[in-house]
Amino acid sequence: MPAHMRDALAASARAAAATDPNSKRLVEVFQELQTAIQEPAGDSAKAYLLAPLKPLVGDPATTPPSRARFSPEQTSKMWGWLGRQLAKDVVEMAKKCKQPPSEPIWYEFRGKLADALEDGVNKAERVPKDMTALAKRFGGDGGAMLRDAVILLRNSQAIDEAMSRIPPKIFDLDEDLCTRLHKIHDGMMETAPDAAVWVLIITMGRLDRPWEIFRVIERIGKRGDDLVVSKTELAAVGDAVLADTGYFASRLQSPPATLEEAKATYELFDQFVNFSVGMTQEFGIRKAGRWGQSLFSLRAEASMHVEKILAKVPLALDSGLPEPRRGKSGRIIPAQLPPDSAIDRAEGLLYFTAKAREHATAAAIASSQKRISTEAVNRMQDAGELLVDLVAESEGQNRNVAREGLEITARLLAISDADEVAATLRRRGNAAAA
């Protein structure tokens, strides 16, 4: 029987199994058949067993901390430790298992792994030498990371059931969904209290605007500010939002060298501002509180990094703008055409400066952004005026070089949101050449 027909018949049998004994028996037959034809899990056992960690596995260099509690390297080392020392028998049984990963036996396997992993951490913490080795293998917070893994593995069934009631992608955390999450959290606090906060953190990863998770925190904590909440287990969620905010702030410290890098840097800046502003819009973050002080520090850090990026603009124009000068005699002295890399760098920094205007006030860089942007546009406009005159006065190859310099200048003006100035220069250059 083709697989799709078998699946359809099995689904029909499951639907009728509650009221029809024959259908119930047929479900059992299909389960036996599936076991008979199913290949052993083999190397897939790792993915099946560590599935509860998957929503929180990411490269810390490219993924915000709320979705990178475990790095791929850490999970591989964890798997090796379990498979070679802590739970070798369980791992071997899992590799030979023929049941699909949705079956209850996999929850049993994960529970055994959790017990073995917890026992391994406990033993290591009692011996300083072993604890040092554990920290060296898994990183400075290796012990805390492994204990988080223990909670997720041990409570994987409860977490799976909870997450199945939450959309895989949430574009707006509306009233109904907030109420549902509140009820799910309350239920988890009764059945799996250690895992309740992880449901909120995993849900945060499904939000299009992660800071909206504070809407649920406010309902659960029954307060609209962080006076009490920041001292409860719910603080882990607020800390996760703050950690993501810090992630975006810290990645603004490298000035972009190309237009593509500038676009990526602006995306980081945009995310930082959205997180920073979103937190205070969704929740009462007190200036004197722990979260408020952390947020104030992150805003200062981000502003400093952006100020340094903006300060690079004049230097970038020095090398990327074909800027003629007028000699004492009044004759225009042309500049050499800059290399492509210098033009690209200037274009990237000018792009970032222009785009930063959108968040200049929120990021406390309004005066610097306006000054540097105005000075850059004026400087390019002055260079363009000289280049137009140079086009009119020169001929042959010199005129071609002047026109190319004028086009570079117009291109830099356009990327600076000075489109009308760029268009006027192009028209005047064409007229001068004619």
Side-chain angles (χ1 to χ4, degrees), residues 36-266:
I37 65 173
Q38 182 82 22
E39 291 292 327
D43 292 338
S44 298
K46 176 184 176 182
Y48 295 167
L49 290 173
L50 300 186
L53 310 186
K54 187 177 179 181
L56 300 163
V57 175
D59 182 354
T62 57
T63 309
S66 68
R67 289 183 279 118
R69 181 63 185 101
F70 312 97
S71 70
E73 182 182 11
Q74 285 175 327
T75 54
S76 291
K77 289 180 178 179
M78 187 190 307
W79 178 250
W81 196 24
L82 287 164
R84 287 191 293 270
Q85 298 180 41
L86 301 182
K88 186 175 181 179
D89 293 345
V90 177
V91 170
E92 289 302 317
M93 286 173 59
K95 288 181 177 180
K96 295 174 182 177
C97 182
K98 290 188 173 186
Q99 295 192 43
S102 58
E103 291 300 309
I105 192 171
W106 291 95
Y107 292 119
E108 295 176 20
F109 287 148
R110 292 179 194 129
K112 292 177 181 177
L113 289 188
D115 292 341
L117 192 58
E118 184 175 45
D119 187 53
V121 175
N122 288 339
K123 287 180 178 177
E125 288 180 342
R126 289 194 290 268
V127 181
K129 180 180 68 173
D130 292 347
M131 194 59 203
T132 301
L134 186 144
K136 186 176 181 180
R137 178 186 293 182
F138 293 105
D141 71 337
M145 179 274 298
L146 292 169
R147 290 194 181 281
D148 289 343
V150 168
I151 293 172
L152 290 164
L153 290 169
R154 181 172 289 148
N155 298 282
S156 61
Q157 187 166 7
I159 293 173
D160 283 352
E161 290 172 357
M163 297 311 300
S164 69
R165 298 167 58 192
I166 302 169
K169 184 66 178 176
I170 304 169
F171 296 98
D172 180 31
L173 189 54
D174 58 23
E175 191 78 13
D176 290 343
L177 194 48
C178 281
T179 301
R180 189 189 313 169
L181 280 163
H182 188 183
K183 290 179 179 177
I184 289 172
H185 180 269
D186 286 350
M188 292 285 291
M189 288 300 293
E190 293 181 6
T191 59
D194 289 348
V197 72
W198 286 105
V199 169
L200 298 178
I201 293 174
I202 295 171
T203 298
M204 181 181 153
R206 297 185 179 186
L207 292 172
D208 188 49
R209 295 180 289 274
W211 50 91
E212 289 181 353
I213 196 67
F214 279 109
R215 297 178 185 180
V216 184
I217 299 302
E218 182 175 353
R219 285 172 176 268
I220 297 170
K222 296 181 175 62
R223 283 189 68 101
D225 61 56
D226 62 345
L227 180 62
V228 176
V229 169
S230 62
K231 300 172 184 177
T232 68
E233 77 283 351
L234 294 173
V237 183
D239 290 343
V241 180
L242 267 176
D244 285 2
T245 309
Y247 165 87
F248 292 113
S250 66
R251 274 153 182 75
L252 295 170
Q253 60 185 318
S254 299
T258 66
L259 178 58
E260 288 305 310
E261 286 184 13
K263 290 179 179 179
T265 301
Y266 178 73

Side-chain angles (χ1 to χ4, degrees), residues 355-375:
K355 292 286 287 182
R357 183 185 300 117
E358 182 180 349
H359 297 313
T361 301
I365 57 164
S367 60
S368 297
Q369 190 279 334
K370 184 177 181 179
R371 175 179 56 80
I372 291 172
S373 178
T374 301
E375 290 175 356

Side-chain angles (χ1 to χ4, degrees), residues 383-421:
E385 296 287 344
L386 291 176
L387 284 164
V388 169
D389 292 343
L390 194 60
V391 169
E393 295 174 3
S394 57
E395 57 185 23
Q397 180 61 24
N398 289 338
R399 171 176 286 179
N400 291 335
V401 172
R403 292 190 72 179
E404 189 173 345
L406 185 61
E407 177 55 34
I408 292 169
T409 305
R411 171 179 152 193
L412 294 177
L413 279 164
I415 205 74
S416 303
D417 274 352
D419 299 282
E420 291 185 10
V421 178

